[in-house]
Amino acid sequence: MADTPGPPEPSLDEQIAAYQREFHDLDPQVEKVVSALSRLNRRMNVAYGRQTADLGISNTEWEVLKALVLAGEPYRLGPGELAKRLGLTPAAMTHRIDRMVGEGLVTRERDENNRVRVIIGITSEGRAKWLEAMRMATVFEGDLLQDLSGEERAVLGEMLTRLLRRVEDAQPDAGGRLNDLD
C-alpha cells in the first residue's frame, strides 16, 4: 500500500493567521519572512537531494566533495579538517569517508610528510559528480530566480547575507558556513 500524502501544508498567510490567533505578540511581517525562508530551504534541500540521487550520490557525499573542491587544488584535506568544516564528529566523518572511498569518490592516503596523518582527496569520478551536480543546481537555481532582475538578485543576496551574519553572530556554534558566502 502506497503512502498517501497528508493534508496540504497551510499557506503562509494561513499559518501566520493561526500563529496570531494563538500568540498575539507575533509580528506577521517577521513571521512571513522566516517561514518563507524555512519552507524555501526545506524544498530546495529536497530538490538538491533528488538531483544528487540521480547522480548516485547523497547530499552528504556532495558536501564532502564540495569541501574538498573549496580547499583548492590539489583538493585534499585531513579528515579532522573535513569533519570541522562539515560540523561532523570524527566518527561520523570516518564512516562517510569509508563509504565514499568504497564508491570511488575520494581517496584516503598517508601524508608522505607525516606518516601518522591521513589525507582525503577527491578522485576524478568524485570531481565529475561534483561538477555535474553543480551543472544541475545551476539550472535549478536559475529557474528559481528567473523572475528577479539582476539588481533584485543582488539586493536579495545582500539582505540574506546580513541575516545569515546576524544568526551566526548570535549562534556561533550553530554550524553555519558564512565563509562559503564571502
Side-chain angles (χ1 to χ4, degrees):
M1 176 152 105
D3 289 336
T4 56
E9 188 172 28
S11 71
L12 286 177
D13 291 335
E14 291 168 336
Q15 177 180 324
I16 292 164
Y19 285 177
Q20 284 182 299
R21 183 182 67 237
E22 302 297 326
F23 183 69
H24 302 289
D25 293 337
L26 183 83
D27 181 331
Q29 289 178 320
V30 170
E31 189 58 37
K32 190 163 198 169
V33 169
V34 296
S35 292
L37 286 171
S38 176
R39 287 185 187 195
L40 180 62
N41 180 58
R42 204 168 58 239
R43 285 163 173 79
M44 287 177 71
N45 283 335
V46 168
Y48 292 138
R50 288 177 178 151
Q51 289 179 340
T52 57
D54 287 345
L55 297 173
I57 61 173
S58 68
N59 272 354
T60 56
E61 290 170 329
W62 185 84
E63 288 285 335
V64 172
L65 298 174
K66 178 179 85 168
L68 291 168
V69 169
L70 289 175
E73 286 193 67
Y75 311 117
R76 297 162 48 101
L77 289 170
E81 180 62 23
L82 270 171
K84 182 179 174 185
R85 289 180 185 209
L86 299 176
L88 298 172
T89 64
M93 190 75 250
T94 297
H95 177 71
R96 191 170 296 175
I97 290 167
D98 288 345
R99 188 174 63 243
M100 293 178 73
V101 166
E103 294 170 357
L105 300 171
V106 298
T107 59
R108 179 192 291 122
E109 301 169 351
R110 293 274 172 211
D111 184 343
E112 52 236 21
N113 298 323
N114 177 351
R115 299 296 295 159
V116 175
R117 187 168 185 248
V118 172
I119 300 291
I120 309 304
I122 195 168
T123 64
S124 58
E125 181 179 347
R127 182 155 167 74
K129 294 221 182 219
W130 179 82
L131 283 168
E132 186 56 27
M134 288 298 292
R135 284 185 196 96
M136 294 166 78
T138 298
V139 171
F140 168 71
E141 293 160 358
D143 288 347
L144 177 69
L145 298 175
Q146 69 182 332
D147 296 330
L148 301 180
S149 69
E151 182 178 324
E152 289 170 323
R153 290 177 188 196
V155 169
L156 179 61
E158 286 301 314
M159 290 188 307
L160 292 174
T161 301
R162 284 193 342 237
L163 294 177
L164 180 58
R165 282 194 176 107
R166 180 164 308 264
V167 168
E168 290 191 344
D169 287 348
Q171 305 288 327
D173 62 341
R177 295 189 193 98
L178 184 57
N179 291 339
D180 286 358
L181 299 176
D182 292 336

